[in-house]
């Protein structure tokens, strides 16, 4: 028990002292309230939340002046008291918390002020016995105990029956331990198992398992109704059967039709009862429970009484075959009437009536004797030895007693109806599926958690005691049945050998009718309980709003009764009724309950292993190993009982899970799966931290830099479209943006921007993360994103950013300077860079290219990015039909034919399908550069200054000279350099025209302009750009996308503007261009 102390803090200072300090007390209470006393008062904030006004004494002076000194001793925290309540206020709210009844609003939702004032919640007052133990007993004991347990013992034998009971009860016991841990980990509002699982495993698992639990409960109602009708038609009122079979072999179908008709009628009546008034069902629950207990007690009484006085239930045997006892009166072939030997009714059944001649009799009947044995030999008879081992039968096999003498003769099929036979083929797995529903019902206590005085104490104790009690009853019943009842009677499912009596009833004391009537009422009661609970469970799921198509079932009558949910439950239960066979419905029911129990165990195991801080159950006797054992047993039992039903049940749960994942509402319930994801992510990140990925595992992990407009809308959403097409849902995508300003002032704007980007990501189907930073300068913010995005080994390796459109017209040079700065930063950080130009012309995700080419211009080798990107794009449906073409740039001294062969070999080894043009573009950029450089040098040596300027103008006109920078990377500037000039200036058309206008006004400026010389490196680089552009436009003007190497920016920042001009010239006349710059490492390999 933790030790805690409440320390009162007294303020002994006087008001004069306060005035010296200049303290102004602030009143945070609701206005408009008057206080007439000086004692501690508690007020409400209008939402049902009690708030303590003043826990401290006020000074008399303050009281006289009506000053409200609020929390004098919490002045340090006075600015936060409106959002962070005092401990006293918090505790008072928690203590006044009450559970909400099942079917009402979720406990997180606040009630309206009027409702909270008008309704005073009734204090829950049920203890462990009435609230958990007895409801669990009533739900666990049911139809299987009375109708099928004797038959299971007869077929499986005592040993295998004990194994079946032990497996099922162990599974439920382990589940109860896990459930107890979850139920005692905080307050469990009404909703029971669904609430526990959904809040532990998240909305996806919660919805899937909740619906499985709902379907299980619904089919349980159908099973109980079928059990009640079977008791009614077989043992209570057999005359009520509507359909009768003339053929003894077709009696099963007639019985099934009777079950369907009466089952549907019974279901309708029960649904009406539930609709009219649930309170009557609850009041009758104790009556039904009494019937169950009396029936079980009568079984034990009869079993012990049979030790000395076994009941008289003789069985008639023909040879070693069991006869249907109600078809004849005397168990003998002949009867003596007076002095005459007359054929008995049995003789008439097997022979021609009235004739004692054996020539016209059944062969087996003639050759075997009729004997009578005791059906209930009693506890001391030693029959237990015969019933110890299994005796599984195929369908239609006649029940035979092994110890009796018999002559094997072929009898006619006409007399088959006289024998007791197996109605279905039996096996161990089938019996497991049929028996398991009798172990379910352990959730009854947790479903009533809203009515319990102390749910955290009552649920574990009551549930575990109930399972222990029922397990002992089942185990002892198996032994008692095997010790008291003859084997052929045990294997007789419907009691045909004992004059159509219920087999359990033959053992009971004082009369078989005790069991018959008691079991009938108990099954009817259990059916009503299931039909009452299932709609409320569906209503709780619907009100959580995690499954959109179930929303209509959240509504009901004005008093909260789930009308629509009851209607759906009735329709699903009717499907079970139409199956009409208890033995067929039970395995279906087992699947859904086992799915539910599996996830209860999973929830406990996950929470325990994750060691979530909130995982502090009061129930301490749990362990993750027990939960995993329980989970394994659930899976094993599912596949043991029926593998195909197990697959169907898992498929249904899986489909619901995926539906909620894609269509359901987002819920944050602090569930364990979220914690598991965090734990797995942490583990994976730590593993990734070991080193950089191998070339084979390299894929572009994108950082997409988005620009937002003034309204915080994404300016170029096609950047996200391109990212989604390139990624196809794989790898990492971080979408980043920068807001200019101060973080403290722009926090709200940042959140709005983040939400806008997330919405756009959802529209464009980009799976990734969003990060918005606030920085005083956009350039700095981008640098921060490039440096800090990602975590550990999960960092971006590629930056995607848009082209700065309109940079020429803009008076503000920051746009293109930011662009070039970003290029430099990515190069410095060894990151790859992609710049989609004319991105608004890029296809949307809904378009399809049915033909066309993706052209790759492989000018310099940059790690293989140019090869990899088209391959990744072609994985997406938009680009799938496009063909890939690769162009290389050869120099004059290269062997073009050999280069073509080498390229074909290289592509083959890369396993990339691409066309390479037969005529490789023999573009002689190196020779051209050298020639241009040499001619420029010669002219400079020969010509005068004025002629030099004229030559420069000629070059400008010829090649549309504009400002430009370096080509490719800085390392390629190894060509002969021009002699350094003192003054370097780039000629542009605009500057030239401006100078001509000012020529007359500023002769000095004109003379200065005329003395300038063009930068020779700019001339040769522009020449290169123009020639490259000509070739690219000529060959790829109709390509869907052109990828080419992006040159690096110049080392000298003075040439930045020239660099932008150069990129414009290089990409001129192309509709869609992707400029690619590698990160300095190989990203593609020919090796496996």
């Amino acid at each position: 028990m933790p030790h805690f102390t409440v320390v009162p803090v007294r303020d002994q200072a006087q008001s004069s002292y306060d005035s010296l300090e200049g303290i102004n007390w602030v009143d945070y209470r609701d206005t408009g309230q008057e206080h007439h006393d000086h004692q501690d008062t508690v007020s409400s904030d209008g939402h049902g939340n009690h708030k303590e006004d003043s826990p401290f004494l006020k000074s008399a002076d303050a009281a006289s002046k009506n000053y409200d000194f609020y929390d004098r001793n919490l002045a340090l925290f006075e600015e936060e008291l409106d959002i962070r309540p005092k401990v006293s206020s918090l505790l008072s709210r928690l203590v006044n918390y009450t559970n909400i009844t099942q079917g009402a609003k979720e406990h997180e939702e606040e009630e309206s002020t009027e409702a909270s004032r008008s309704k005073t919640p009734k204090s829950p007052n049920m203890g462990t016995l009435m609230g958990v133990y007895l409801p669990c007993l009533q739900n666990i004991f049911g139809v299987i105990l009375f109708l099928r347990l004797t038959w299971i013992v007869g077929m499986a034998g005592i040993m295998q029956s004990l194994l079946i009971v032990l497996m099922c009860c162990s599974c439920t016991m382990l589940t109860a331990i896990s459930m107890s841990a979850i139920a005692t980990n905080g307050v469990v509002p009404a909703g029971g198992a669904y609430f526990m699982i959904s809040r532990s495993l998240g909305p996806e698992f919660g919805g899937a398992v909740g619906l499985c639990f709902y379907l299980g409960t619904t089919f349980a109602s159908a099973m109980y109704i079928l059990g009640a009708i079977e008791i009614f038609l077989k043992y209570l009122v057999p005359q009520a059967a509507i359909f009768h079979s003339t053929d003894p072999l077709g009696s099963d179908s007639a019985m099934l039709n009777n079950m369907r008709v009466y089952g549907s009628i019974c279901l309708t009546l029960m649904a009406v009862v539930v609709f009219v008034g649930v309170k009557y069902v609850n009041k009758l629950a104790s009556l039904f429970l009494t019937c169950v207990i009396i029936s079980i007690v009568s079984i034990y009484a009869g079993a012990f009484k049979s030790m000395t006085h076994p009941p008289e239930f003789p069985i008639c045997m023909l040879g070693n075959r069991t006869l249907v006892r109600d078809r004849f009166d005397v168990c003998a072939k002949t009867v003596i009437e007076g002095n005459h030997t007359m054929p008995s009714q049995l003789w008439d059944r097997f022979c021609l009536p009235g004739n004692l001649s054996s020539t016209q009799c059944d062969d087996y009947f003639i050759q075997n004797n009729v004997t009578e044995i005791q059906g209930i030999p009693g506890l001391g008879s030693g029959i237990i030895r015969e019933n110890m081992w299994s005796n599984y039968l195929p369908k239609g096999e006649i029940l035979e007693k092994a110890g009796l003498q018999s002559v094997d003769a072929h009898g006619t099929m006409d007399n088959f109806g006289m024998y007791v036979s197996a109605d279905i083929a039996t096996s161990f797995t089938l019996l497991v599926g049929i028996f398991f529903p009798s172990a379910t019902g352990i959730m009854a206590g947790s479903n009533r958690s809203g009515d319990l005085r102390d749910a955290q104490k009552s649920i574990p104790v009551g549930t575990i005691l109930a399972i222990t009690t029922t397990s002992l009853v089942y185990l002892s019943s198996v032994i008692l049945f095997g010790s008291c009842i003859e084997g052929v009677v045990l294997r007789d499912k419907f009691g045909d050998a004992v004059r159509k009596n219920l087999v359990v009833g033959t053992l009971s004391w004082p009369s078989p009718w005790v069991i018959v009537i008691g079991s009938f009422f108990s099954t009817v009661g259990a059916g009503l309980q299931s039909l009452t609970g299932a709609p409320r469970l569906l209503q709780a799921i619907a009100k959580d709003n995690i499954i959109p198509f179930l929303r209509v079932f959240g509504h009901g009558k004005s008093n909260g009764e789930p009308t629509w949910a009851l209607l759906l439950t009735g329709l699903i239960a009717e499907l079970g009724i139409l199956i009409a066979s208890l033995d067929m419905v039970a395995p279906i029911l087992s699947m859904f309950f086992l799915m539910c129990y599996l996830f209860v165990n999973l929830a406990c195991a996950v929470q325990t292993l994750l060691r979530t801080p909130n995982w502090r159950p009061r129930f301490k006797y749990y362990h993750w190993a027990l939960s995993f054992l329980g989970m394994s047993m659930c899976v094993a039992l599912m596949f043991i009982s029926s593998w195909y039903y197990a697959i169907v049940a898992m498929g249904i749960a899986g489909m619901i899970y995926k539906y909620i994942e894609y269509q359901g509402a987002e819920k944050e319930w602090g569930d364990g799966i979220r914690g598991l994801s965090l734990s797995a992510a942490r583990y994976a990140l730590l593993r990734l931290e070991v080193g950089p990925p191998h070339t084979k595992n390299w894929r572009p992990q994108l950082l997409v830099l988005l620009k937002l407009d003034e309204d915080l809308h994404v300016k170029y959403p096609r950047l996200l479209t391109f990212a989604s097409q390139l990624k196809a849902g794989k790898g990492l995508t971080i979408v980043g943006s920068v807001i200019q300003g101060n973080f403290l002032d722009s926090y709200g704007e940042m959140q709005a921007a983040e939400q806008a980007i997330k919405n756009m990501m959802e529209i464009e189907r980009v799976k990734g993360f969003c990060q918005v930073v606030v920085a005083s300068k956009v350039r700095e913010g981008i640098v921060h994103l490039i440096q800090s995005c990602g975590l550990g080994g999960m960092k971006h390796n590629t930056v995607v950013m848009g082209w700065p459109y309109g940079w020429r017209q803009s008076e503000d040079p920051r746009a293109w300077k930011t662009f070039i700065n970003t290029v430099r930063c990515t190069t410095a950080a060894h990151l790859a860079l992609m710049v989609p130009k004319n991105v608004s012309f890029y296809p949307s995700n809904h378009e399809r290219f049915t033909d066309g080419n993706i052209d790759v211009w492989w000018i310099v080798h940059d790690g293989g990015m140019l090869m990899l990107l088209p391959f990744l794009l072609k994985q997406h449906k938009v680009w799938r039909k496009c063909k890939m073409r690769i162009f290389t740039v050869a120099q004059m001294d290269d062997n073009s034919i050999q280069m073509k062969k080498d390229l074909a070999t290289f592509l083959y080894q890369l396993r990339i399908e691409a066309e390479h043009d037969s005529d490789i573009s023999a573009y002689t950029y190196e020779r051209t550069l050298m020639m241009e450089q040499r001619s420029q040098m010669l002219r400079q040596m020969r010509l005068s200054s004025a002629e030099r300027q004229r030559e420069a103008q000629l070059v400008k006109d010829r090649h549309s000279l504009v400002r430009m920078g370096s080509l490719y990377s800085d390392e390629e500037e190894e060509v002969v350099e021009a002699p350094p000039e003192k003054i370097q200036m780039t000629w542009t058309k605009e500057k030239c025209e401006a100078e001509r206008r000012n020529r007359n006004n500023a002769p000095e400026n004109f003379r200065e302009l005329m003395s300038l010389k063009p930068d020779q490196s700019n001339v040769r680089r522009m020449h290169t750009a123009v020639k490259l552009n000509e070739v690219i436009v000529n060959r790829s003007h109709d390509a869907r996308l052109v990828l080419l190497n992006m040159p690096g920016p110049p080392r000298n920042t003075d040439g930045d503007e020239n660099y932008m001009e150069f990129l414009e010239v290089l990409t001129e006349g192309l509709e869609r261009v992707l400029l690619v710059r590698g990160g300095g490492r190989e990203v593609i390999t020919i090796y496996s």
Side-chain angles (χ1 to χ4, degrees):
M1 187 72 183
H3 176 73
F4 56 87
T5 309
V6 179
V7 182
V9 182
R10 302 183 184 279
D11 185 12
Q12 298 175 354
Q14 301 298 321
S15 58
S16 58
Y17 178 79
D18 296 340
S19 61
L20 286 173
E21 291 292 325
I23 298 174
N24 295 317
W25 298 106
V26 185
D27 181 16
Y28 288 93
R29 291 172 314 175
D30 297 336
T31 56
Q33 295 181 354
E34 293 182 6
H35 303 286
H36 303 288
D37 60 346
H38 309 313
Q39 306 301 320
D40 296 352
T41 55
V42 178
S43 65
S44 173
D45 62 357
H47 297 284
N49 300 327
H50 297 293
K51 183 170 67 177
E52 206 165 20
D53 291 332
S54 178
F56 305 104
L57 295 175
K58 304 173 188 176
S59 65
D61 185 37
S64 63
K65 294 181 181 178
N66 200 22
Y67 290 157
D68 292 329
F69 286 81
Y70 182 78
D71 290 345
R72 298 166 64 88
N73 301 301
L74 296 179
L76 277 175
F77 306 95
E78 61 185 11
E79 293 185 359
E80 300 178 330
L81 284 172
D82 53 343
I83 56 172
R84 299 180 183 180
K86 293 180 301 171
V87 175
S88 54
S89 305
L90 176 71
L91 290 175
S92 71
R93 285 206 299 271
L94 290 177
V95 167
N96 290 330
Y97 175 82
T98 52
N99 292 315
I100 296 174
T101 55
Q102 188 166 356
K105 287 187 176 182
E106 183 63 18
H107 80 289
E108 292 99 350
E109 296 182 277
E110 293 184 356
E111 292 184 349
S112 64
T113 308
E114 293 78 9
S116 63
R117 286 176 181 170
S118 60
K119 293 182 182 178
T120 304
K122 185 180 178 182
S123 176
N125 56 3
M126 295 184 78
T128 304
L129 181 69
M130 295 300 296
V132 181
Y133 181 72
L134 293 179
C136 280
L137 278 187
Q138 185 182 355
N139 277 264
I140 296 171
F141 286 137
V143 63
I144 302 295
L145 171 64
F146 302 118
L147 294 185
R148 293 291 181 270
L149 191 56
T150 52
W151 174 71
I152 289 171
V153 174
M155 291 295 181
I158 293 175
M159 297 305 292
Q160 289 191 21
S161 298
L162 288 175
L163 180 62
I164 291 172
V165 173
L166 203 61
M167 286 170 59
C168 296
C169 292
S170 299
C171 179
T172 52
M173 177 61 83
L174 292 170
T175 305
I177 291 171
S178 299
M179 185 193 75
S180 300
I182 299 172
T184 57
N185 186 50
V187 180
V188 179
Y194 163 68
F195 182 90
M196 288 190 294
I197 296 168
S198 61
R199 270 48 175 188
S200 297
L201 290 179
E204 293 90 356
F205 277 112
V209 181
L211 281 182
C212 281
F213 192 43
Y214 163 73
L215 290 172
T217 311
T218 305
F219 275 104
S221 64
M223 184 187 75
Y224 289 128
I225 291 170
L226 288 173
I229 299 304
E230 184 177 309
I231 294 169
F232 178 75
L233 290 177
K234 286 279 185 181
Y235 311 114
L236 280 175
V237 191
Q239 308 88 301
I242 299 172
F243 301 96
H244 300 278
S245 175
T246 53
D247 180 15
L249 298 176
S251 59
D252 286 348
S253 60
M255 182 62 189
L256 292 179
N257 288 329
N258 286 320
M259 298 275 279
R260 291 184 181 107
V261 171
Y262 279 102
S264 301
I265 294 170
C266 184
L267 176 64
T268 307
L269 291 174
M270 284 187 177
V272 169
V273 170
V274 172
F275 178 77
V276 170
V278 180
K279 57 183 179 180
Y280 301 117
V281 177
N282 292 331
K283 286 179 180 177
L284 290 171
S286 56
L287 171 65
F288 298 141
L289 179 60
T290 307
C291 292
V292 173
I293 293 171
I294 291 173
S295 301
I296 292 171
V297 170
S298 73
I299 293 171
Y300 280 100
F304 289 113
K305 182 177 178 292
S306 70
M307 194 180 297
T308 54
H309 299 86
E312 286 292 327
F313 282 99
I315 306 168
C316 193
M317 307 293 294
L318 178 61
N320 62 353
R321 296 181 180 179
T322 312
L323 297 172
V324 178
R325 192 66 182 84
D326 64 332
R327 298 280 180 98
F328 51 91
D329 51 359
V330 180
C331 183
K333 291 184 178 182
T334 57
V335 290
I336 298 174
E337 293 181 3
N339 293 325
H340 301 282
T341 301
M342 302 290 294
S344 66
Q345 287 184 5
L346 186 61
W347 182 282
D348 292 343
R349 291 280 184 181
F350 282 94
C351 306
L352 287 176
N355 188 358
L356 276 174
S357 171
S358 61
T359 56
Q360 294 179 328
C361 288
D362 184 270
D363 289 344
Y364 188 85
F365 178 75
I366 293 299
Q367 295 184 34
N368 287 279
N369 295 323
V370 175
T371 55
E372 198 170 54
I373 62 172
Q374 187 66 2
I376 314 291
L379 198 58
S381 62
I383 196 72
I384 188 171
R385 287 189 294 275
E386 294 181 20
N387 295 330
M388 192 63 72
W389 308 110
S390 62
N391 192 358
Y392 298 114
L393 301 175
K395 184 178 180 180
E397 183 82 4
I398 296 172
L399 302 187
E400 298 177 348
K401 181 171 172 59
L404 291 179
Q405 187 178 1
S406 170
V407 178
D408 192 15
H410 183 70
T412 61
M413 287 300 295
D414 295 337
N415 297 316
F416 183 78
M418 290 297 297
Y419 301 113
V420 181
S421 60
D423 63 331
I424 58 171
T426 52
S427 63
F428 178 80
T429 57
L430 176 80
L431 298 185
V432 170
I434 291 174
F435 177 77
F436 187 80
S438 63
T440 61
I442 62 172
M443 300 290 185
S446 63
N447 290 344
R448 295 165 177 260
S449 55
D451 302 324
L452 299 174
R453 190 184 306 116
D454 185 0
Q456 296 190 6
K457 177 186 174 186
S458 299
I459 289 176
V461 174
T463 307
I464 291 172
L465 276 178
I467 293 174
T468 306
T469 306
T470 51
S471 302
L472 291 173
V473 168
Y474 286 139
L475 292 169
S476 58
S477 297
V478 166
I479 296 170
L480 287 176
F481 293 158
S483 306
C484 298
I485 305 175
E486 175 61 50
V488 287
V489 179
L490 285 174
R491 290 188 285 281
D492 181 7
K493 186 187 288 184
F494 302 114
D496 293 326
V498 285
R499 297 185 181 274
K500 299 285 185 183
N501 276 302
L502 183 61
V503 176
V504 185
T506 59
L507 183 62
S508 65
W509 178 87
S511 166
W513 288 101
V514 175
I515 292 284
V516 173
I517 295 171
S519 59
F520 177 75
F521 278 113
S522 71
T523 47
V524 168
L528 277 172
Q529 292 281 358
S530 299
L531 212 55
T532 305
R536 278 158 181 71
L537 181 60
L538 182 63
Q539 187 182 42
I541 298 170
K543 285 197 171 185
D544 261 346
N545 202 22
I546 55 172
I547 306 176
F549 70 83
L550 288 182
R551 284 175 191 154
V552 65
F553 300 109
H555 306 297
K557 292 196 291 187
S558 57
N559 61 351
E561 291 299 316
T563 311
W564 292 107
L566 178 62
L567 184 62
L568 180 67
T569 304
L571 291 174
I572 296 173
E574 179 63 23
L575 294 177
I577 299 287
L578 292 177
I579 295 173
S581 169
L582 187 68
D583 304 318
M584 294 288 286
V585 174
I588 300 173
L589 171 66
S590 299
M591 288 307 119
F592 290 121
F593 275 118
L594 280 167
M595 282 290 292
C596 179
Y597 295 168
L598 184 150
F599 283 105
V600 170
N601 285 303
L602 177 63
C604 181
V606 165
Q607 297 275 30
T608 308
L609 287 175
L610 287 178
R611 296 177 182 171
T612 316
N614 190 51
W615 181 247
R616 303 184 299 273
R618 287 192 177 279
F619 180 78
K620 300 298 181 186
Y621 306 101
Y622 68 94
H623 193 270
W624 65 265
L626 291 176
S627 300
F628 268 115
L629 181 60
M631 197 167 65
S632 306
M633 288 191 71
C634 288
V635 174
L637 285 172
M638 285 176 74
F639 282 93
I640 285 172
S641 55
S642 176
W643 63 267
Y644 44 90
Y645 279 157
I647 291 171
V648 170
M650 287 180 169
I652 291 172
M655 285 190 292
I656 297 167
Y657 178 93
K658 297 307 286 183
Y659 176 78
I660 297 172
E661 188 178 31
Y662 285 109
Q663 298 291 330
E666 287 290 329
K667 298 281 185 182
E668 178 50 70
W669 286 335
D671 50 87
I673 293 298
R674 184 68 57 89
L676 189 63
S677 302
L678 283 172
S679 186
R682 171 184 165 275
Y683 175 76
L685 283 170
L686 290 173
R687 289 288 303 274
L688 281 175
E689 194 73 41
V690 173
H694 191 273
T695 304
K696 289 186 285 188
N697 297 327
W698 195 95
R699 65 166 66 243
Q701 316 287 7
L702 301 183
L703 169 61
V704 184
L705 298 175
L706 285 187
K707 190 174 183 181
L708 303 177
D709 58 18
E710 295 80 6
D711 299 325
L712 299 180
H713 295 146
V714 178
K715 207 165 186 180
Y716 301 114
R718 284 293 164 88
L719 272 176
L720 291 175
T721 313
F722 172 70
S724 71
Q725 291 168 6
L726 183 64
K727 301 298 292 181
K730 304 290 190 300
L732 174 71
T733 304
I734 302 173
V735 181
S737 187
V738 181
I739 293 177
Q740 194 168 356
N742 183 290
F743 178 75
L744 295 175
D745 301 330
S746 307
Y747 181 70
E749 190 180 351
M750 184 189 78
Q751 286 187 314
E754 201 168 302
Q755 191 57 48
I757 292 174
K758 283 180 179 175
N759 293 340
M760 187 55 68
M761 288 171 69
E762 194 171 335
I763 292 169
E764 298 295 341
R765 296 181 181 177
V766 176
K767 293 182 179 179
F769 309 100
C770 171
Q771 187 161 353
V772 179
V773 299
V774 180
S776 56
K777 293 180 181 178
V778 175
R779 185 186 301 184
E780 292 178 1
I782 290 175
V783 173
H784 293 331
L785 283 173
I786 290 173
Q787 288 183 83
S788 61
C789 275
L791 183 65
M794 200 66 173
K795 291 181 74 72
H796 57 277
N797 55 27
T798 306
V799 177
V800 180
M801 65 174 174
W803 178 260
Y805 302 102
W807 65 273
R808 283 173 173 159
Q809 292 77 22
S810 175
E811 296 178 3
D812 187 3
R814 283 183 296 182
W816 57 267
K817 284 188 175 179
T818 301
F819 174 81
I820 296 174
N821 187 65
T822 307
V823 176
R824 285 197 174 98
C825 288
T826 54
T827 306
H830 300 291
L831 301 176
L833 176 67
M834 287 188 280
V835 181
K837 198 161 181 283
N838 302 327
V839 73
S840 54
F841 293 112
Y842 277 56
S844 70
N845 284 325
H846 305 294
E847 295 179 46
R848 302 282 188 283
F849 286 142
T850 54
D851 57 0
N853 300 311
I854 299 176
D855 284 358
V856 176
W857 283 85
W858 192 17
I859 302 168
V860 294
H861 182 60
D862 216 358
M865 281 277 288
L866 285 170
M867 306 292 167
L868 188 62
L869 292 176
F871 171 75
L872 294 175
L873 279 174
K874 278 167 62 66
Q875 307 304 307
H876 196 274
K877 55 191 175 184
V878 173
W879 304 92
R880 191 166 291 149
K881 299 289 181 66
C882 293
K883 294 180 180 177
M884 181 177 164
R885 294 193 304 181
I886 297 179
F887 296 92
T888 54
V889 175
Q891 301 178 17
M892 284 299 287
D893 55 352
D894 288 332
N895 185 338
S896 299
I897 298 172
Q898 184 60 39
M899 195 169 175
K900 177 188 171 186
K901 289 180 179 177
D902 293 344
L903 180 61
T905 306
F906 182 58
L907 290 175
Y908 177 77
Q909 289 174 336
L910 284 178
R911 293 92 62 205
I912 289 178
E913 294 181 8
E915 297 177 6
H916 42 279
D917 203 296
S918 58
D919 177 24
I920 290 186
S921 176
Y923 174 53
T924 58
Y925 72 93
E926 187 75 10
R927 167 76 55 97
T928 305
L929 291 179
M930 294 182 68
M931 283 173 54
E932 178 68 25
Q933 188 70 31
R934 188 167 60 251
S935 62
Q936 289 289 330
M937 286 174 63
L938 289 171
R939 275 199 295 270
Q940 293 225 1
M941 287 188 286
R942 288 198 300 265
L943 299 178
S944 65
S945 177
E947 288 171 325
R948 253 184 251 156
Q949 299 306 320
R950 206 176 304 118
E951 175 67 15
Q953 182 67 33
L954 183 63
V955 173
K956 166 184 170 295
D957 294 338
R958 185 181 304 156
H959 299 297
S960 305
L961 180 61
V962 288
R963 296 163 297 206
M964 51 169 288
S966 64
L967 175 66
Y968 312 131
S969 62
D970 305 320
E971 292 78 10
E972 294 193 12
E973 300 184 15
E974 297 175 0
V975 197
V976 180
E977 290 292 336
E981 301 287 342
K982 290 182 180 178
I983 303 172
Q984 295 183 354
M985 181 174 175
T986 304
W987 284 78
T988 64
K989 191 175 180 180
E990 292 84 2
K991 283 187 178 181
C992 194
E993 289 177 356
E995 289 299 332
R996 283 174 183 166
R997 284 196 301 272
N998 296 333
R999 185 175 293 173
N1000 296 329
N1001 302 330
E1004 291 180 5
N1005 290 347
F1006 169 69
R1007 283 195 297 272
E1008 185 182 347
L1009 177 66
M1010 285 293 98
S1011 67
L1012 296 180
K1013 301 174 180 62
D1015 185 352
Q1016 300 307 311
S1017 65
N1018 286 353
V1019 173
R1020 64 184 172 82
R1021 289 184 177 114
M1022 178 52 67
H1023 188 81
T1024 305
V1026 171
K1027 293 296 291 179
L1028 254 180
N1029 179 255
E1030 283 178 9
V1031 176
I1032 294 172
V1033 170
N1034 182 41
R1035 306 301 290 270
S1036 302
H1037 60 87
D1038 59 346
R1040 298 295 188 186
L1041 181 65
V1042 177
L1043 288 85
L1044 53 89
N1045 292 107
M1046 181 178 183
R1051 287 189 182 133
N1052 187 2
T1053 56
D1054 295 337
D1056 285 356
E1057 195 169 1
N1058 304 332
Y1059 175 69
M1060 295 296 296
E1061 287 286 1
F1062 164 72
L1063 292 179
E1064 288 281 12
V1065 171
L1066 184 63
T1067 57
E1068 197 174 2
L1070 298 171
E1071 186 180 15
R1072 300 184 193 93
V1073 187
L1074 181 62
L1075 296 169
V1076 180
R1077 187 162 171 74
R1081 63 162 293 171
E1082 292 293 326
V1083 300
I1084 197 166
T1085 179
I1086 63 174
Y1087 299 107
S1088 61

